[in-house]
């Protein structure tokens, strides 16, 4: 029931958005949203969050996702677990900055550089962080997740996150294609499942352009391997 209501509210959001922006088709609006071509600061469905860890860095997330996160955080705190958000929504432009920085830093052929960058970072236009549904918790450093504190946190998340609508898309299943294991990355599936389906149906390699190495996106099959290469829940 709750899931159906959320789906309805997202659908209505797009319809309302569409009626107020008749210059753009609804297809374009959805495409722009799922490839990060929008500004969360200007979008009323997003909310500014302030992280205890990084109070200086403004971060935005979808309102519905933030409400679910707050409920999960409260439950975690009752069990003496802290799950601060350390990264949330990133626009195409922000993802492009990250991509181009790594492109400049890494050595090798374009193909070698891209496969290295893709271990942990998405091509601009292909990140789930564009959607406002995905958040990184506690730390994005592998090594931190081997400490007893974050091992305990991870156990708690594996046991409880699904109760609040979150799952781990980049799990430790070695048969899964795409990004390496990311215990910090959690996705709010009542909305992100929708976006995954939109992505599968609407996005082609023509929509993934405008950065170094974009000509290799198709050859690397980034849509199937990286965007759709996620764990099930
Ligand atoms: Zn992430």
């Amino acid at each position: 029931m709750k899931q159906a209501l959320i789906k309805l509210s997202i659908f209505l959001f797009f319809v309302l958005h569409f009626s107020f922006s008749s210059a753009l088709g609804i297809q374009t609006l959805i495409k722009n949203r799922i490839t990060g071509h929008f500004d969360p600061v200007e979008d009323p469905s997003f909310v500014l969050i302030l992280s205890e860890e990084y109070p200086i860095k403004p971060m935005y997330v979808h309102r519905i996702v933030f409400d679910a996160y707050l409920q999960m955080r409260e439950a975690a705190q009752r069990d003496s677990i802290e799950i601060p958000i350390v990264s949330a929504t990133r626009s195409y432009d922000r993802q492009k900055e990250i991509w181009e920085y790594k492109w400049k830093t890494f050595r090798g052929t374009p193909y070698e550089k891209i496969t290295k960058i893709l271990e942990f970072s998405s091509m601009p236009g292909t990140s789930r962080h564009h959607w406002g549904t995905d958040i990184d918790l506690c730390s994005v450093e592998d090594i931190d997740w081997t400490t007893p504190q974050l091992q305990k946190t991870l156990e708690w998340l594996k046991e409880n996150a699904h109760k609040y609508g979150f799952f781990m898309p980049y799990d430790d299943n070695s048969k899964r294609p795409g990004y390496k294991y990311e215990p910090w990355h959690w996705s709010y599936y009542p909305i992100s499942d929708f976006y995954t389906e939109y992505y599968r149906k609407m996005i082609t390699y023509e929509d993934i352009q405008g950065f170094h190495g974009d000509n290799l996106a198709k050859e690397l099959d980034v849509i199937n391997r990286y965007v759709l290469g996620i764990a099930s829940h």
Side-chain angles (χ1 to χ4, degrees), residues 1-14 62-69 71 133 162-166 188-195 198:
M1 184 60 191
K2 197 179 165 205
Q3 182 113 340
L5 278 176
I6 289 169
K7 285 191 175 186
L8 183 68
S9 72
I10 293 163
F11 177 73
L12 286 175
F13 164 75
F14 279 121
H62 197 289
R63 281 177 188 280
I64 295 173
V65 179
F66 194 52
D67 285 347
Y69 162 76
Q71 284 182 29
T133 56
H162 66 96
K163 296 177 197 162
Y164 304 91
F166 290 92
Y188 185 69
Y189 60 80
I191 302 180
S192 62
D193 280 0
F194 245 129
Y195 289 174
Y198 285 143

Side-chain angles (χ1 to χ4, degrees), residues 129 136 182 184-185:
H129 280 285
D136 294 332
E182 293 190 4
W184 53 83
H185 188 118

Side-chain angles (χ1 to χ4, degrees), residues 4 43 53 56 62 70 80 84 86 89 94 119 146 151 171 182 184-185 208:
D43 192 315
E53 304 284 295
I56 290 160
H62 197 289
L70 288 178
S80 309
V86 295
T89 307
R94 175 68 192 117
E119 285 181 10
T146 59
Q151 284 281 314
D171 66 355
E182 293 190 4
W184 53 83
H185 188 118
I208 302 170

